[in-house]
Amino acid sequence: MKLIKQILYSRVRPTVQDDGGDVKFVSFDEGTGVLKLTMLGSCAGCPSSSATLKNGIFKMMKHYVGEVKDVVAEDFKSK
């Protein structure tokens, strides 16, 4: 999980932030290989955010962390 967060915050997040959005780690289920992220800013609800998840973030995570089998967006819930 440490490697996932490292890649997310050092490689993925700066690119997403350049487009006015943000991405936050929610959880990683080692049993299913599902990585859950929250898309924020201009990425929240943006139609192209699903393409960003599947074509960008998932491909990068799968390349560096073979255990990642899917990346899904989870709605932001303020506490």
Side-chain angles (χ1 to χ4, degrees), residues 1 10-12 24 27 29 31 33 36 42 50 67 72 76:
M1 188 167 8
S10 68
R11 294 179 177 247
V12 175
K24 300 282 185 183
S27 66
D29 184 318
K36 290 184 181 178
S42 65
S50 62
E67 294 84 8
V72 297
F76 176 74

Side-chain angles (χ1 to χ4, degrees), residues 58-74:
F58 174 66
K59 285 183 179 181
M60 181 177 287
M61 288 296 173
K62 183 70 177 162
H63 176 77
Y64 289 104
V65 186
E67 294 84 8
V68 174
K69 305 297 181 208
D70 197 10
V71 176
V72 297
E74 184 169 283

Side-chain angles (χ1 to χ4, degrees), residues 33-47:
V34 175
L35 172 62
K36 290 184 181 178
L37 304 173
T38 297
M39 304 299 280
L40 301 166
S42 65
C43 291
C46 172

